[in-house]
Amino acid sequence: MKEHFSFIEYLSKRLQHPLPGWEYQQRMSPYIQGKQTLEPRIVPPDAKQTSVAALLFPGEYGSELLLTKRSATVSHHKGQICFPGGRSESNESILQTALRETHEELAISHEQISVIGNLSSLFVPPSYSMIHVTVGHLPDKPLLYPNFNE
């Protein structure tokens, strides 16, 4: 457990510095017909704003990351493994969206989450979404009450 809290401390400090975002997205871009897609990605000004929460907590063997599986009833990315999150509502911040969606999907309240920082945002063309990632820490393994409609 000591390693987990050391990692959280390191991550908290690291997220206060600039992130390599686009540089690493280029490195990880898929190959399409033998060519890596290195063209600059243009984020449309009307892209839907989406926020997710990457939540870490202490586990038996170190840090664990909370992931969910999308239901078959959502409009995009059915059945995919993801972070809890969703679309921003009007006048809602990135953080507010991530916390609200986490509560709606898993019944984890915002009081349980210590926000560490944010990762680089990423535009996802299939859902026409700009994804914003809030990184948070839970003090213990959470009790989850999934909403299977989310």
Side-chain angles (χ1 to χ4, degrees):
M1 186 157 337
K2 180 181 175 187
E3 293 83 12
H4 167 74
F5 289 100
S6 294
F7 173 65
I8 295 301
E9 184 179 336
Y10 164 78
L11 187 58
S12 298
K13 290 177 184 172
R14 176 61 186 94
L15 290 177
Q16 294 175 18
H17 299 283
L19 298 173
W22 172 238
E23 176 190 344
Y24 282 87
Q25 288 175 30
Q26 283 182 312
R27 288 184 191 181
M28 296 180 73
S29 291
Y31 285 88
I32 299 174
Q33 296 179 356
K35 293 177 121 179
Q36 191 172 20
T37 58
L38 294 178
E39 76 284 350
R41 305 266 193 317
I42 298 172
V43 178
D46 62 339
K48 296 175 176 109
Q49 300 302 303
T50 302
S51 294
V52 300
L55 300 176
L56 297 155
F57 58 92
E60 185 176 351
Y61 301 106
S63 299
E64 294 190 20
L65 180 65
L66 181 65
L67 297 170
T68 63
K69 182 178 178 184
R70 292 179 60 86
S71 79
T73 62
V74 295
S75 57
H76 296 286
H77 312 292
K78 294 174 181 5
Q80 291 184 358
I81 303 302
C82 62
F83 295 121
R87 297 259 190 256
S88 295
E89 294 178 355
S90 62
N91 298 321
E92 189 175 52
S93 72
I94 291 166
L95 175 59
Q96 289 169 327
T97 300
L99 296 176
R100 175 183 54 77
E101 288 285 343
T102 299
H103 185 260
E104 288 175 4
E105 293 178 17
L106 300 169
I108 296 174
S109 71
H110 71 274
E111 290 92 2
Q112 294 174 267
I113 302 169
S114 297
V115 175
I116 296 172
N118 297 302
L119 299 181
S120 301
S121 297
L122 171 69
F123 178 66
V124 179
S127 58
Y128 206 70
S129 296
M130 188 65 173
I131 310 287
H132 306 280
V133 184
T134 296
V135 180
H137 175 255
L138 299 165
D140 299 298
K141 184 174 184 174
L143 293 176
L144 302 176
Y145 301 97
N147 178 344
F148 294 103
N149 295 320
E150 289 283 334

